[in-house]
Amino acid sequence: MYLLAVVREKDICWEYAEKLDGNKVRCKFCQRVLNGGISRLKHHLSRLPSKGVNPCTKVRDDVTDRVRSIIAQKEEIKENSCVARQKYLEAKSPGNIPTVKTIMPLEPLSPIQKVFPTVTPMAPPSLNNQENAEKNIALFFFENKLDFSVARSSSYQLMIDAVAKCGPGFTGPSAEMLKTIWLERIKSEVSLQLKDVEKEWTTTGCTIIADTWTDNKSRALINFLVSSPSRTFFHKSVDASSHFKNTKCLADLFDSVIQDFGSENVVQIIMDSSFNYTGIANHILQNYRTIFVSPCASQCLNLILEEFSKADWVSRCMLQAQTITKFIYNNASMLDLMKQFTGGQELIKTGITKSISNFLSLQSLLKQRSRLKLMFNSPEYSTNSSYTNKPQSITCIAIVEDNDFWRAVEESVAISEPFLKVLREVSAGKPAVGSIYELMTRAKESIRTYYIMDENKCKTFLDIVDRKWRDQLHSPLHAAAAFLNPSIQYNPEMKFVSSMKEDLYKVLEILLPMPDMRRDITNQICTFTKARGMFACNLAKEARDTVSPGLWWEQYGDSAPVLQRVAIRILSQVCSSFTFERHWNTFQQVHSEKRNKIDKEALNDLVYINYNLKLARQMRTKSLEADPIQFDDIDMTSEWVEESDNPTPTQWLDRFGTALDGSDLNTRQFNAAIFGASDHIFGL
């Protein structure tokens, strides 16, 4: 017994765990406590879909690889033992009695064969060609751990059509061809698209977006993008961990990026508050006199919503709403019943940030209020003991029947919706710098109107908005853009305060630094504000509210040529970095210390291609129905679903309900739950 204990302690995986009482261990990465000892810890760290163990979300990639190797060796030993035993039994069996052989292949099993051992390469004769093709595509997805949402990609069907045209016998490109020849070709094609867009920069200028985030290894990573009216391009991703708080090093980094695009083309740089903001902003303003540094509008609006949610009654309302959603989404049959009453619609919405998700989910809950009440009072619910016997059932019924709760939900939706509307406008990837002033003014007016009989609450929420606007969002460029926006300038309801005019003049002095450049600017401002010359024609008047401000100036601004040139450059800019979906695990792999130089170069090229293809698709398929601040899939790990910090081994599976049978599967979260957020991609 003593010898056995010593052997167990020598297992190399113990360095990743803390031994607790009994047969319990605590993972040193995520601090989760596991029952079952070192064996379950290994499956936890491997992030493989087995043993009903929740995958670790914080384990390092090198540890995962090491543990998977250990598990694979153990499985191989077991297989070899079974093969040896089978041969021994065959040797002992009499010659005249046929030996019944097990279906145990001598070759190592693939992952898909281990999960579905009866699968064979040949399709059964009963399957037709369509079914056989679909089956093999499905197996390709399952074995290679592809996100199901890949099937929504426009290139997915294009690939299938191209292969079908080749006919039988087509052989796909090898891994080496993909990694070399085709990688280089596609990268060149994407780069040529950027070259075409660069031509418009002399007229419209461009915005550099510096998007910062910290990965699970506490590395500070910066993604650089460049945006102009035609489209947004991903430039590169940089690990700035070693000098993130060093203004000199960051300044050198920004200098190099500015030179990549040409300082004469850059109108503004958008960065979030993660930076040493003042130091970098001062460096840019001093060294590049015609470049503005602006905060991210979406980040500021998200902080406003975050402050709103901290109000006691809002926070309490959200907790009550989450009690309902957790009860429903953690029970498969309950989830099915809910969808019967909502017509297949979800209660939960997942936004691009936690605060946005919270208010979108409250909106969704409010829309389904009558259906939820019907469900909890229906015979289908009341006669099912699997629902009614649960302690949460009584709590949920009480909340749903509580009028005070629904009044709080209505109020939360009323104060958040105006700012969600602003978020949608500034996060849609289109030039919105000329609209932010008007949008914020209208949002504040909505708060005043709603709280016309409650001065204290009105002041509480408007103070939050004004503080965030003053401290983080205000930019002279925003004020100048508002002044030059024809839909605002000629709107009799809008009044320009003196501070906005001061900001306009500051911007003009920066963009027109020489006195001879602005000799006639005062007359041209008067021509614009008084709507004289070409500004007075009927076409110009009719287009004030229907054409984008930058295009309006390009078409009708000839009566004020100097102001026209400045207005086009200002009004052609975005004001937010929330215009694209981030792919964190991809960037983490780019900056992995384990990779050699060749792998890093190839992966950098892959990320460049992948990100720009997604951005191009986003621009190409953008529809009026698409919500730029909301994801299609639900986050099944959010606090609107997660029931506890230590769910049962099968609880995460229960949440999908009939989705595992092929209905509404949350592919993004299903993929992350099974395979882990840091699984290697692209085979590098």
Side-chain angles (χ1 to χ4, degrees):
M1 188 69 178
Y2 173 76
L3 179 61
L4 181 61
V6 171
V7 172
R8 283 183 175 174
E9 291 299 328
K10 284 186 177 180
D11 192 310
I12 60 173
C13 288
W14 278 112
E15 65 180 282
Y16 309 128
E18 176 187 350
K19 196 173 188 309
L20 304 177
D21 294 338
N23 202 24
K24 294 182 179 180
V25 292
R26 176 183 284 117
C27 173
K28 288 186 178 180
F29 295 101
C30 67
Q31 303 303 313
R32 184 183 290 276
V33 176
L34 303 167
N35 289 314
I38 198 68
S39 176
R40 290 177 72 82
L41 175 79
K42 289 176 184 177
H43 288 281
H44 172 66
L45 296 176
S46 73
R47 297 190 296 225
L48 290 170
S50 59
K51 303 290 185 184
V53 181
N54 284 314
C56 183
T57 58
K58 297 183 179 180
V59 62
R60 300 194 311 269
D61 291 345
D62 60 310
V63 174
T64 294
D65 293 342
R66 186 182 186 188
V67 175
R68 286 183 180 181
S69 176
I70 293 170
I71 293 174
Q73 289 173 8
K74 189 175 179 181
E75 293 292 332
E76 187 176 352
I77 291 171
K78 283 184 179 179
E79 289 172 8
N80 291 338
S81 175
C82 289
V83 172
R85 178 175 175 79
Q86 180 63 30
K87 287 182 177 180
Y88 172 74
L89 291 173
E90 289 175 8
K92 287 190 68 176
S93 62
N96 59 339
I97 301 176
T99 304
V100 179
K101 296 184 178 181
T102 58
I103 311 174
M104 179 62 71
L106 296 177
E107 295 297 322
L109 296 174
S110 71
I112 197 71
Q113 287 172 319
K114 288 181 178 179
V115 180
F116 304 109
T118 58
V119 172
T120 60
M122 299 298 293
S126 60
L127 294 178
N128 59 35
N129 290 338
Q130 172 77 18
E131 290 172 327
N132 187 39
E134 289 180 0
K135 176 185 174 183
N136 281 283
I137 291 171
L139 290 175
F140 177 73
F141 269 71
F142 303 155
E143 183 167 3
N144 294 283
K145 302 184 298 186
L146 297 180
D147 191 319
F148 297 157
S149 63
V150 169
R152 299 183 196 141
S153 167
S154 56
S155 58
Y156 174 69
Q157 188 59 45
L158 288 174
M159 174 188 68
I160 292 173
D161 291 343
V163 171
K165 287 180 181 178
C166 293
F170 170 75
T171 303
S174 66
E176 192 60 29
M177 285 182 66
L178 290 170
K179 193 175 178 180
T180 53
I181 297 172
W182 284 108
L183 184 63
E184 186 59 37
R185 284 187 189 178
I186 302 298
K187 183 188 176 186
S188 297
E189 290 180 10
V190 173
S191 298
L192 283 174
Q193 293 173 11
L194 176 59
K195 290 295 181 184
D196 289 339
V197 173
E198 285 178 5
K199 296 174 184 176
E200 74 179 11
W201 292 354
T202 54
T203 302
T204 65
C206 64
T207 292
I208 294 174
I209 299 169
D211 189 46
T212 312
W213 57 286
T214 304
D215 70 358
N216 56 14
K217 297 179 182 178
S218 299
R219 291 178 301 194
L221 308 178
I222 308 174
N223 293 339
F224 287 100
L225 297 95
V226 60
S227 181
S228 57
S230 291
R231 60 175 288 188
T232 299
F233 272 89
F234 170 76
H235 182 51
K236 64 180 178 180
S237 181
V238 178
D239 183 355
S241 307
S242 59
H243 50 262
F244 194 66
K245 297 298 181 182
N246 187 318
T247 303
K248 175 65 171 64
C249 293
L250 279 177
D252 291 341
L253 173 61
F254 274 80
D255 284 343
S256 69
V257 174
I258 290 171
Q259 296 310 316
D260 287 341
F261 302 118
S263 59
E264 70 281 3
N265 294 321
V266 180
V267 175
Q268 70 168 341
I269 297 176
I270 293 177
M271 61 178 74
D272 57 46
S273 57
S274 303
F275 285 101
N276 182 350
Y277 190 90
T278 305
I280 290 296
N282 289 338
H283 168 80
I284 293 170
L285 294 174
Q286 289 171 10
N287 290 274
Y288 305 95
R289 297 303 179 98
T290 59
I291 297 178
F292 295 86
V293 178
S294 304
C296 173
S298 292
Q299 186 191 40
C300 177
L301 287 159
N302 181 62
L303 291 173
I304 289 173
L305 292 175
E306 192 175 298
E307 289 295 314
F308 282 6
S309 64
K310 290 178 182 177
D312 290 341
W313 63 270
V314 178
S315 177
R316 185 167 56 253
C317 166
M318 287 180 178
L319 288 174
Q320 288 178 306
Q322 287 166 8
T323 300
I324 297 171
T325 58
K326 287 175 184 177
F327 176 58
I328 293 173
Y329 278 84
N330 281 280
N331 185 293
S333 54
M334 188 72 217
L335 186 57
D336 285 340
L337 182 64
M338 181 273 288
K339 289 190 176 182
Q340 288 176 27
F341 278 84
T342 63
Q345 296 183 40
E346 302 283 359
L347 288 182
I348 301 170
K349 303 295 181 184
T350 299
I352 54 179
T353 68
K354 177 182 174 182
S355 298
I356 294 171
S357 297
N358 288 340
F359 285 107
L360 287 176
S361 294
L362 284 181
Q363 277 188 12
S364 176
L365 217 68
L366 185 61
K367 289 177 183 177
Q368 302 295 343
R369 170 170 52 181
S370 59
R371 295 183 178 93
L372 281 174
K373 287 187 174 183
L374 282 173
M375 181 188 74
F376 280 108
N377 287 289
S378 69
E380 295 95 325
Y381 178 82
S382 58
T383 58
N384 193 321
S385 59
S386 65
Y387 311 145
T388 54
N389 288 346
K390 290 192 174 184
Q392 303 99 311
S393 174
I394 299 172
T395 306
C396 288
I397 291 173
I399 294 172
V400 168
E401 296 298 333
D402 185 359
N403 290 330
D404 289 339
F405 164 71
W406 289 113
R407 275 193 290 270
V409 173
E410 288 175 350
E411 192 172 343
S412 299
V413 169
I415 62 171
S416 62
E417 175 53 30
F419 296 95
L420 290 173
K421 183 178 179 180
V422 180
L423 261 168
R424 289 185 178 97
E425 288 295 321
V426 302
S427 300
K430 60 184 180 182
V433 70
S435 306
I436 185 68
Y437 252 85
E438 180 187 15
L439 292 168
M440 289 298 290
T441 300
R442 294 189 185 283
K444 289 172 64 176
E445 194 58 38
S446 296
I447 297 289
R448 290 192 187 94
T449 302
Y450 186 79
Y451 284 126
I452 194 168
M453 303 298 290
D454 194 333
E455 188 176 337
N456 289 333
K457 276 191 175 180
C458 182
K459 184 178 185 307
T460 298
F461 290 107
L462 286 182
D463 283 350
I464 292 172
V465 176
D466 290 338
R467 186 171 64 252
K468 294 297 180 184
W469 173 272
R470 181 182 64 248
D471 297 344
Q472 291 187 285
L473 185 55
H474 174 72
S475 167
L477 199 66
H478 295 161
F483 188 92
L484 294 169
N485 187 341
S487 68
I488 299 175
Q489 177 64 231
Y490 300 121
N491 186 344
E493 296 179 4
M494 302 298 292
K495 304 296 181 184
F496 290 98
V497 295
S498 58
S499 60
M500 289 185 69
K501 290 185 178 180
E502 290 174 11
D503 284 339
L504 170 69
Y505 301 147
K506 287 178 185 177
V507 170
L508 291 175
E509 288 177 7
I510 290 171
L511 294 178
L512 303 170
M514 305 302 293
D516 61 326
M517 296 173 69
R518 52 179 185 263
R519 184 178 297 120
D520 193 42
I521 197 66
T522 301
N523 291 331
Q524 292 187 24
I525 292 173
C526 288
T527 301
F528 166 58
T529 56
K530 302 296 183 183
R532 297 170 181 161
M534 195 176 290
F535 297 120
C537 75
N538 289 331
L539 285 175
K541 291 179 179 178
E542 292 165 3
R544 288 172 182 172
D545 299 313
T546 58
V547 175
S548 66
L551 181 59
W552 186 88
W553 270 96
E554 186 180 337
Q555 295 297 319
Y556 308 110
D558 292 5
S559 298
V562 178
L563 189 62
Q564 178 190 42
R565 190 164 60 252
V566 172
I568 291 173
R569 288 180 72 84
I570 293 174
L571 292 166
S572 296
Q573 309 311 313
V574 295
C575 58
S576 169
S577 64
F578 285 14
T579 58
F580 53 91
E581 185 177 347
R582 301 168 177 86
H583 304 275
W584 305 131
N585 60 328
T586 305
F587 296 113
Q588 287 180 199
Q589 290 184 62
V590 172
H591 303 294
S592 172
E593 296 176 358
K594 296 190 300 178
R595 300 194 177 281
N596 59 42
K597 186 177 180 181
I598 296 175
D599 274 356
K600 280 195 173 184
E601 288 177 358
L603 189 53
N604 269 310
D605 289 346
L606 274 166
V607 170
Y608 177 80
I609 293 169
N610 176 264
Y611 221 110
N612 282 309
L613 288 176
K614 288 183 180 294
L615 287 168
R617 184 185 65 184
Q618 183 177 317
M619 295 295 293
R620 190 169 58 249
T621 61
K622 191 176 293 180
S623 63
L624 295 174
E625 294 79 20
D627 192 339
I629 64 172
Q630 182 180 321
F631 293 126
D632 292 332
D633 299 323
I634 297 172
D635 183 357
M636 300 298 285
T637 63
S638 77
E639 57 192 10
W640 288 82
V641 178
E642 280 287 359
E643 201 164 40
S644 64
D645 293 333
N646 297 299
T648 62
T650 59
Q651 182 176 307
W652 66 276
L653 278 174
D654 291 340
R655 296 189 196 120
F656 296 109
T658 56
L660 290 177
D661 297 323
S663 60
D664 188 19
L665 180 61
N666 173 2
T667 56
R668 181 165 60 91
Q669 293 305 324
F670 179 68
N671 184 64
I674 292 184
F675 305 123
S678 304
D679 273 4
H680 291 298
I681 57 172
F682 301 132
L684 293 174

